[in-house]
Amino acid sequence: MCGIIAYAGPKPAAPILVSGLRTLEYRGYDSAGIGVQNGSGVITVTRALGVDQLADAVAAQDINGESAPNVGIAHTRWATHGGVTIPNAHPHTSADGRVAVVHNGIVENYMELRTELVDSGVEFTSETDSEVIAHLVSRCVEAGETLATAVRCAARRLHGASSFVATFADQPGVIVGVRLGNAGGIVVGIGDGFHLLASDVLAILPHTDRVVYLRSGEVASIEPSRVEFTDLLGEPLDRPVFKTGRSFEAAAKGEHPHFMAKEIAEQSETVSSAMRRRVDFESGTIDLPEIPYTDDEIRSIDRVIVSGMGTSLHSCMYGAQMIEALTGIPAQAENASELRYRNTALNERTLVISVTQSGETADTLAAMELASAAGSKQLVLVEAEGTQATLVADGTLYLGAGQEIGVASTKTMMCSLVVLYQLAVYLGTRRDRLAAQRASDLVSDLSRLPGLIAEMIEDGGRCEKLAKEKLVDKRHLLYLGRGALHPMAMEGALKMKELAYLHAEGYPAGEMKHGPIALISEEMPTVALAPQGALYDKMVGNIHEVKARGGEVIALATRGDEIMPGLADEVLWLPVASQWIVPMLTLVPMQQLAYHTSVALGLDPDKPRNLAKSVTVE
Ligand code: F6R
């Protein structure tokens, strides 16, 4: 969740680090800090409650990291242990200020380590678990060890998943980073006469495209002209340098007031990227060369589990329904944090499909590891290149959405639905369950998606009006849907919670009578997903029940529906589309409702409170 960047090279370190933090801010934005070696025997540390404030503080103090060579580490925090305060911001230092550390993850045994350090006379200045690392490293360097040895020695004492980076004033020019488990990655950037370490390749791309992704238990020691990889015992490792295909695009909102508005508007193009090189619209076929299984292996699958968290879990719910319908294989969606801790009967005939735009979500990765241990087949849908999820899976299906800056997922979810759609058609075809004509019809339905999304986006003005006039003074909302629209209702509610901080519940509409109906009143409007389709009449029944209890209804209905305007208080129109395409279309007005309600409430939809885009702790 936190973001780390470190630099060793000939240029002043501070500006490079501050601009790297801006790129990494999506990982956490509670507070930020920087520590640079100034050749003075201590590390100059500056901390602030946000990257903008940090940039001002660094400029005011004229901190550049101008020693020779220039070395610094920096961090943007998402608080786990200890409140959002300056003392809890990173870097944390040893008592003498000679060792500084930035950390991402959780030190599970920190109480035990803290007690041990306090008993030996160490005074703590923060409430964080991370501070123990600075003192552990310091204890080892005091015993005469090098920074790299000290980092390895400290790392071996830590329980849980963590990544941390340390620097030591007595070893000018050296920075050491380590990755333990899945607490967000560490990428090493290899330059000519400089090196970087960062949580995400995006922060490295402005400087170099040559990178090495650390694996769990690996340590990288960088200097301007040298990089060395070892395991936790100090055994040298030969890690090949990889040229990333990603290129740096400075994040820009263009004409949009927020990144989220831009990302919603981009969805008609991004879904086309998610289809590129996979869908042949002429022959009506789908090919997924990323999938490494033979026909026999695909036929041997007798159970599919689609696993993820949050918005990605909602995609999984849609994917499981479609895969089961098109392949006949029993398929279920599972919250990865539950999957990892129950005794799931996984085996080599199970296909586990994970959905994680960041590729770093701790629970999703843990569930993937469980599946690997059971010998299950594994595919992953990911946006972020080279992340841990891609290393664990047998095959990676990239989403092609492009970098999403808004913390709440919009375009990455839309693309994950498109990829799951393709996967369902592909598996159905390879198992001979789906006739060529039916597959071709599904491909033809998919070909209309970009145009239909563009149409929905054009209609967005109505959502803005509804948000301002109807939703901004509400505290509660109910979202109802059936079938593949049930996960979309849950997603609509999640977006409203995240962005507008309204209490919103997403339910299968059939469940309403079993409890949620008690909440219905004029205080709690219902968003009813009621497009034409097999379950339309059932939804009409639910809407009548809400109206009979004085509830207000905003319905999403298919253009041409003559019943809905007389029944619902407000109707948001959906174009005519097929069964598996309609759910994707319903996302657009629900994203817009949440976005405009957030803006009308004076909130920042790009950075909702308490959230981070990459949830690397469980
Ligand atoms: C909500 C949202 C989160 C993520 C969840 C999983 O808008 O973005 O619920 O979907 O944290 O993240 P990934 O997809 O990176 O595994």
Side-chain angles (χ1 to χ4, degrees):
M1 328 233 345
C2 305
I4 291 174
I5 172 134
Y7 170 82
K11 295 189 186 164
I16 292 175
L17 297 175
V18 171
S19 106
L21 287 183
R22 290 196 190 285
T23 308
L24 296 172
E25 218 183 344
Y26 72 90
R27 303 177 73 89
Y29 31 85
D30 294 339
S31 54
I34 180 172
V36 289
Q37 289 197 355
N38 276 323
S40 56
V42 291
I43 294 156
T44 308
V45 168
T46 310
R47 306 183 188 102
L49 294 178
V51 177
D52 284 341
Q53 295 90 321
L54 179 72
D56 291 345
V58 166
Q61 293 172 63
D62 200 17
I63 299 167
N64 278 324
E66 283 175 37
S67 59
N70 298 292
V71 164
I73 62 177
H75 187 265
T76 177
R77 178 170 186 244
W78 186 89
T80 59
H81 295 57
V84 179
T85 62
I86 301 269
N88 289 339
H90 300 216
H92 293 291
T93 59
S94 54
D96 59 9
R98 284 157 60 224
V99 170
V101 165
V102 289
H103 170 232
N104 179 19
I106 292 181
V107 179
E108 288 177 0
N109 56 335
Y110 94 99
M111 279 309 290
E112 175 194 323
L113 294 171
R114 191 173 167 122
T115 308
E116 175 189 318
L117 287 158
V118 168
D119 288 349
S120 69
V122 173
E123 279 184 31
F124 276 75
T125 56
S126 79
E127 303 154 319
T128 66
D129 54 338
S130 312
E131 191 182 341
V132 297
I133 305 175
H135 298 300
L136 286 176
V137 173
S138 167
R139 215 157 62 169
C140 299
V141 292
E142 272 167 24
E145 293 176 17
T146 63
L147 179 62
T149 317
V151 163
R152 287 192 286 264
C153 154
R156 291 195 298 267
R157 300 277 330 264
L158 307 183
H159 296 174
S162 283
S163 292
F164 72 89
V165 166
T167 188
F168 176 36
D170 293 10
Q171 254 186 285
V174 182
I175 302 173
V176 181
V178 59
R179 173 177 185 161
L180 302 167
N182 297 320
I186 296 244
V187 191
V188 185
I190 315 281
D192 292 326
F194 67 92
H195 288 96
L196 296 126
L197 298 172
S199 305
D200 186 331
V201 70
L202 287 172
I204 284 179
L205 285 175
H207 310 283
T208 177
D209 62 357
R210 288 182 296 137
V211 296
V212 176
Y213 288 91
L214 284 197
R215 295 178 297 214
S216 178
E218 292 185 348
V219 180
S221 176
I222 62 167
E223 294 173 48
S225 308
R226 210 170 143 262
V227 56
E228 186 184 81
F229 298 96
T230 68
D231 65 14
L232 285 180
L233 296 172
E235 280 304 309
L237 297 172
D238 190 13
R239 297 290 278 112
V241 177
F242 161 76
K243 199 165 166 27
T244 167
R246 301 276 295 262
S247 55
F248 182 71
E249 271 172 50
K253 294 180 214 159
E255 82 250 30
H256 300 279
H258 297 99
F259 283 107
M260 187 176 177
K262 172 175 176 264
E263 286 155 7
I264 292 173
E266 270 170 7
Q267 291 178 108
S268 92
E269 289 137 52
T270 52
V271 293
S272 303
S273 314
M275 299 179 206
R276 200 160 294 138
R277 288 191 289 276
R278 292 175 176 146
V279 185
D280 184 335
F281 293 112
E282 270 180 31
S283 63
T285 54
I286 288 178
D287 188 22
L288 301 177
E290 304 92 330
I291 296 185
Y293 309 128
T294 62
D295 282 351
D296 281 347
E297 283 169 329
I298 289 179
R299 281 196 205 96
S300 74
I301 297 166
D302 63 7
R303 181 184 184 199
V304 175
I305 295 179
V306 199
S307 156
M309 299 297 291
T311 288
S312 290
L313 176 61
H314 300 149
S315 298
C316 296
M317 292 165 75
Y318 166 92
Q321 288 192 29
M322 190 170 179
I323 288 168
E324 184 159 320
L326 267 53
T327 65
I329 314 169
Q332 79 204 75
E334 278 233 32
N335 179 302
S337 70
E338 293 295 319
L339 179 62
R340 68 181 286 191
Y341 287 122
R342 69 182 185 81
N343 294 322
T344 324
L346 300 171
N347 59 40
E348 66 287 354
R349 292 185 309 284
T350 312
L351 170 64
V352 175
I353 302 166
S354 302
V355 180
T356 167
Q357 66 80 24
S358 65
E360 292 190 309
T361 299
D363 285 311
T364 308
L365 290 174
M368 289 180 75
E369 270 159 17
L370 192 80
S372 287
S376 300
K377 298 180 177 57
Q378 286 223 63
L379 298 173
V380 70
L381 276 62
V382 169
E383 177 57 32
E385 174 201 280
T387 42
Q388 181 64 15
T390 68
L391 304 178
V392 180
D394 306 328
T396 299
L397 294 148
Y398 283 107
L399 302 179
Q403 195 197 354
E404 192 172 63
I405 308 270
V407 165
S409 298
T410 51
K411 63 176 182 171
T412 52
M413 176 183 189
M414 189 69 88
C415 288
S416 68
L417 297 177
V418 170
V419 176
L420 286 164
Y421 184 109
Q422 296 169 70
L423 186 53
V425 174
Y426 176 86
L427 292 174
T429 308
R430 295 270 309 261
R431 281 175 72 99
D432 294 331
R433 171 87 180 196
L434 205 57
Q437 186 53 52
R438 174 81 179 113
S440 164
D441 291 345
L442 286 158
V443 168
S444 152
D445 295 340
L446 189 60
S447 71
R448 296 184 56 225
L449 182 65
L452 295 175
I453 292 180
E455 233 177 84
M456 302 284 312
I457 287 163
E458 295 261 299
D459 282 356
R462 179 118 181 77
C463 293
E464 183 171 0
K465 194 161 178 295
L466 268 182
K468 285 183 181 153
E469 289 174 4
K470 295 253 170 183
L471 301 181
V472 79
D473 58 350
K474 294 288 186 299
R475 297 309 309 147
H476 310 278
L477 275 164
L478 183 63
Y479 286 71
L480 298 176
R482 288 172 180 262
L485 293 162
H486 162 221
M488 304 304 130
M490 293 183 70
E491 175 61 11
L494 180 63
K495 284 285 141 319
M496 195 55 92
K497 279 180 212 156
E498 290 180 303
L499 300 172
Y501 315 151
L502 298 187
H503 164 229
E505 303 265 10
Y507 266 98
E511 180 73 9
M512 184 181 71
K513 285 195 263 311
H514 301 273
I517 198 164
L519 297 169
I520 302 283
S521 75
E522 57 194 22
E523 300 295 307
M524 187 179 199
T526 296
V527 177
L529 308 190
Q532 292 299 320
L535 299 171
Y536 172 78
D537 291 342
K538 308 277 174 208
M539 280 306 299
V540 169
N542 290 123
I543 295 173
H544 274 294
E545 287 156 7
V546 173
K547 292 296 304 169
R549 281 152 188 90
E552 209 174 333
V553 173
I554 300 172
L556 272 62
T558 309
R559 206 164 282 136
D561 181 333
E562 289 176 359
I563 297 172
M564 210 50 80
L567 181 58
D569 299 272
E570 303 287 343
V571 184
L572 292 169
W573 293 114
L574 300 164
V576 176
S578 62
Q579 178 197 2
W580 298 107
I581 295 294
V582 170
M584 303 189 207
L585 299 179
T586 63
L587 283 182
V588 176
M590 290 194 290
Q591 293 165 347
Q592 288 170 327
L593 281 179
Y595 168 77
H596 289 298
T597 308
S598 168
V599 174
L601 287 166
L603 304 171
D604 179 354
D606 284 342
K607 284 191 205 155
R609 71 180 177 207
N610 303 339
L611 298 183
K613 190 142 192 76
S614 191
V615 183
T616 57
V617 293
E618 72 170 297

